[in-house]
Amino acid sequence: MPYILKNNKIDKRYEEKFFEIIRDNLPTDKIRLFNNLLSRKTEIVREFLSDVQNEKPDKNEFDKILSLIFSVRRHREKIIDTVDVDSLGKGFICLSDFKKSTEIRLGRFLESFIYENVIVKRDIAMEVLHFYEPDKNILWTSWVYRQDNGTGCLPYMADFLKRTWDGNPYIMPFSIMEMRDEIDYLYELSNKNGFAIEPPYGADILLSYMYSDYVYKMVYAESKSLSIGVPEGFTLMKKLLGVEKLELFETEAVG
């Protein structure tokens, strides 16, 4: 199978240094904080999908859920203005059908949710599915990995670790099953190198750290002065994971 991380060679020196840096920058108390925030996000998503099944939320309720998804925020206004409530409701009802597989629910959502940008629709579905059933579904939005153009923090992580591959580009036809394998391997690799993270949110935290690192370095490479305006790493992580406005964070920050 065409993996980015799994089954590829790695330079042990880069691997050890990589996780040494990660351990220094993501201490246990920060991981605990993010786990608490992400657990709260799961509660919010589950409450919302329960409401969708039992009643008809208004557009403000749909807007609140979309606001928790980093990669679709700039599309929120257009979605709310152009997608009718029935289409919104049908789409989220498809995601709440836990008796169906992830693949079936994703397909039905894409079909029933009438919006022209497929990447945006897919990001909505995959993020909601992850937080609805975090033990079952992985977080796979476009900032994690976009298979149509090979971008995201997984390829960035692979480059950082100086892995080699068989000459094929990173643009690969990943399935959800293959991505689950990638995330499982990420847990294995992390714990082997002394960075103790656990499902269901540990990989989310590590991936958001990597993407935050990527964003900062790209901006810094373009302009040192512009990088002054880039939020610090933990703020970027909270934005990516859609938890920066949750009340729990404010409570813990004060404590």
Side-chain angles (χ1 to χ4, degrees):
M1 291 183 177
Y3 294 102
I4 291 177
L5 292 176
K6 186 180 178 182
N7 298 336
N8 285 304
K9 294 180 180 179
I10 183 171
D11 188 315
K12 187 66 176 177
R13 296 167 300 172
Y14 287 104
E15 179 183 351
E16 292 174 350
K17 186 62 178 178
F18 175 83
F19 282 101
E20 179 186 331
I21 294 170
I22 298 292
R23 291 195 305 270
D24 288 344
N25 287 289
L26 279 177
T28 302
D29 61 325
K30 291 294 185 182
I31 294 174
R32 185 184 306 114
L33 173 60
F34 276 105
N35 274 315
N36 289 339
L37 289 168
L38 295 170
S39 294
R40 175 58 184 145
K41 183 170 175 176
T42 283
E43 293 174 1
I44 293 170
V45 169
R46 285 176 174 171
E47 290 169 4
F48 174 75
L49 289 186
S50 176
D51 290 343
V52 169
Q53 295 175 62
N54 297 312
E55 55 189 63
K56 195 172 184 178
D58 60 29
K59 286 201 169 185
N60 287 333
E61 295 303 310
F62 289 107
D63 185 58
K64 289 178 183 177
I65 288 298
L66 295 177
S67 73
L68 297 178
I69 305 172
F70 171 78
S71 57
V72 304
R73 286 179 181 173
R74 69 178 185 275
H75 296 268
R76 278 170 53 207
E77 184 174 343
K78 186 176 180 181
I79 291 171
I80 295 301
D81 288 344
T82 60
V83 181
D84 62 68
V85 172
D86 286 340
S87 178
L88 289 167
K90 287 177 182 177
F92 283 99
I93 286 174
C94 291
L95 298 180
S96 68
D97 188 359
F98 61 88
K99 295 181 180 179
K100 298 295 190 297
S101 70
T102 301
E103 290 82 357
I104 289 175
R105 284 187 277 177
L106 172 62
R108 290 182 176 177
F109 178 87
L110 296 178
E111 182 179 0
S112 63
F113 196 92
I114 310 302
Y115 189 68
E116 73 276 9
N117 191 315
V118 176
I119 298 296
V120 169
K121 293 201 296 183
R122 192 180 181 286
D123 277 2
I124 294 170
M126 293 302 291
E127 182 138 352
V128 170
L129 283 168
H130 172 59
F131 285 101
Y132 182 50
E133 297 175 306
D135 293 311
K136 179 179 179 180
N137 299 313
I138 57 168
L139 179 64
W140 183 11
T141 50
S142 52
W143 64 264
V144 173
Y145 177 65
R146 269 189 67 166
Q147 67 227 69
D148 62 325
N149 61 13
T151 59
C153 60
L154 274 180
Y156 174 64
M157 189 180 299
D159 288 341
F160 194 104
L161 291 168
K162 301 296 181 182
R163 290 176 172 270
T164 59
W165 65 102
D166 61 5
N168 292 319
Y170 285 148
I171 304 174
M172 302 171 187
F174 272 125
S175 66
I176 292 175
M177 181 182 71
E178 289 170 331
M179 281 299 293
R180 285 196 191 104
D181 287 345
E182 287 280 77
I183 297 302
D184 287 344
Y185 179 71
L186 191 56
Y187 281 112
E188 177 186 330
L189 188 65
S190 298
N191 284 281
K192 183 183 76 172
N193 284 278
F195 181 58
I197 54 174
E198 298 179 352
Y201 305 119
D204 304 4
I205 297 166
L206 176 55
L207 290 168
S208 68
Y209 172 83
M210 288 305 302
Y211 197 82
S212 298
D213 183 74
Y214 167 78
V215 169
Y216 185 83
K217 286 178 179 175
M218 288 302 98
V219 175
Y220 191 83
E222 289 293 325
S223 170
K224 293 181 181 180
S225 60
L226 283 177
S227 68
I228 296 173
V230 177
E232 52 84 26
F234 288 116
T235 299
L236 281 173
M237 289 172 66
K238 286 180 283 180
K239 288 180 178 296
L240 282 168
L241 295 170
V243 296
E244 78 276 15
K245 293 184 179 180
L246 296 187
E247 183 177 358
L248 178 60
F249 174 77
E250 299 298 334
T251 301
E252 295 231 10
V254 172

